[in-house]
């Protein structure tokens, strides 16, 4: 969905309404659905080129900070960053102002990148924020220490595939699409396909969206 905030940046984001639980979402008026979905993004990019995505980690730990700061959840954190952050540095500073609480008890980390080429993963280890510079994030911890590497074996394999891809140098949007195709679920014998893949052009604001591993059929959007 596209958001035009009066007090923030224009952004585009992806919402999976199956994750909106506890209310009869499908029976609500369209305007109410849109308002709720606005605060349930799983990834997105704003007009400044700040991109963010949440990635799940197979781990029984939780994130529930309690330092008397205002509370924020996974998806509202993404909305905050899309509305207010233009750079990775600004995104990190914003997250530090809140106590993070993971949504739906799914352990996660956040991949954040900006138009200047900065990219990090933000993780929470024992409720302490950790920031690791990295051009690649899959579904295991990258913070050195007790949690490093915790995640699925498949996520490690996908990481290595993407790392090799990056060695070829600068990538076009088509190159990134092909890289995402190479690590989609269908390559690993999964019974479900990757639900969506997105290529963000953080300079032009163009977004290429692919549904369920159909990489020949592209949906094109723009933030700007």
């Amino acid at each position: 969905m596209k958001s035009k905030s009066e007090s923030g940046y224009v952004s585009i984001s992806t919402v999976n309404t199956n994750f909106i639980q506890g209310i009869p979402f499908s029976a609500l008026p369209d305007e109410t659905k849109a308002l709720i979905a606005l605060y349930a993004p799983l990834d997105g990019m704003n007009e400044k080129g700040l991109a963010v995505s949440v990635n799940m980690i197979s781990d029984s730990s939780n994130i529930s900070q309690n330092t008397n700061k205002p509370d924020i959840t996974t998806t509202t954190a993404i909305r905050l960053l899309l509305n207010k952050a233009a750079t990775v540095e600004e995104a990190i500073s914003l997250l530090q102002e809140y106590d993070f609480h993971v949504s739906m008890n799914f352990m996660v980390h956040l991949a954040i990148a900006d138009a200047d080429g900065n990219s990090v993963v933000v993780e929470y280890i024992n409720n302490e924020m950790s920031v690791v510079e990295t051009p690649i994030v899959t579904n295991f911890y990258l913070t050195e220490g007790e949690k490093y590497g915790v995640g699925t074996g498949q996520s490690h394999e996908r990481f290595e595939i993407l790392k090799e891809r990056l060695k070829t140098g600068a990538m076009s949007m088509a190159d990134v699409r092909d890289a995402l195709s190479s690590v989609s679920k269908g390559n690993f014998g999964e019974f479900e396909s990757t639900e969506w893949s997105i290529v963000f052009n953080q300079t032009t604001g163009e977004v290429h969206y692919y549904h369920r591993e159909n990489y020949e059929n592209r949906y094109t959007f723009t933030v700007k």
Side-chain angles (χ1 to χ4, degrees):
M1 68 180 300
K2 197 166 186 177
S3 168
K4 296 183 178 181
S5 170
E6 293 182 358
S7 59
Y9 301 125
V10 177
S11 67
I12 191 167
S13 59
T14 311
V15 178
N16 185 339
T17 58
N18 290 329
F19 288 169
I20 300 174
Q21 300 181 356
I23 56 173
F25 185 80
S26 61
L28 296 173
D30 288 343
E31 289 186 2
T32 305
K33 289 179 183 177
L35 183 61
I36 293 171
L38 186 66
Y39 292 94
L42 298 175
D43 54 50
M45 179 176 69
N46 66 24
E47 63 182 291
K48 295 297 184 180
L50 190 285
V52 58
S53 172
V54 61
N55 297 271
M56 294 182 187
I57 302 177
S58 182
D59 184 19
S60 60
S61 296
N62 206 329
I63 307 171
S64 186
Q65 292 184 304
N66 183 20
T67 64
N68 295 320
K69 297 177 183 178
D71 294 321
I72 198 167
T73 64
T74 305
T75 56
T76 52
I78 296 174
R79 172 51 53 204
L80 172 72
L81 300 185
L82 292 175
N83 281 5
K84 299 293 186 181
T87 66
V88 165
E89 183 178 0
E90 290 179 4
I92 294 168
S93 295
L94 278 170
L95 289 174
Q96 289 172 333
E97 294 178 8
Y98 292 85
D99 278 342
F100 195 99
H101 298 266
V102 70
S103 300
M104 298 175 64
N105 293 320
F106 289 138
M107 194 61 186
V108 300
H109 55 185
L110 300 175
I112 307 173
D114 63 31
D116 293 327
N118 304 301
S119 57
V120 302
V121 62
V122 175
E123 301 178 333
Y124 292 85
I125 312 296
N126 298 323
N127 289 323
E128 294 291 331
M129 181 193 289
S130 170
V131 179
V132 180
E133 293 185 11
T134 176
I136 306 167
V137 180
T138 55
N139 302 86
F140 65 90
Y141 291 101
L142 292 173
T143 299
E144 293 291 341
E146 62 179 295
K147 288 287 187 177
Y148 179 80
V150 172
T152 63
Q154 182 202 90
S155 65
H156 285 263
E157 186 176 353
R158 288 187 284 112
F159 188 95
E160 292 302 319
I161 292 171
L162 293 174
K163 187 164 69 172
E164 287 301 311
R165 286 265 181 167
L166 282 183
K167 291 179 180 179
T168 62
M171 301 172 72
S172 66
M173 293 183 78
D175 292 332
V176 176
R177 174 206 61 200
D178 293 343
L180 293 175
S181 175
S182 73
V183 294
S184 61
K185 287 185 176 181
N187 296 288
F188 300 91
E190 294 282 341
F191 63 90
E192 292 181 351
S193 62
T194 297
E195 192 160 351
W196 69 82
S197 301
I198 307 175
V199 181
F200 293 122
N201 189 317
Q202 292 169 269
T203 302
T204 66
E206 188 173 357
V207 181
H208 293 175
Y209 192 104
Y210 304 91
H211 187 240
R212 291 199 178 279
E213 300 184 19
N214 182 355
Y215 294 100
E216 301 302 318
N217 187 20
R218 185 182 82 199
Y219 299 89
T220 302
F221 304 91
T222 183
V223 175
K224 300 181 179 180

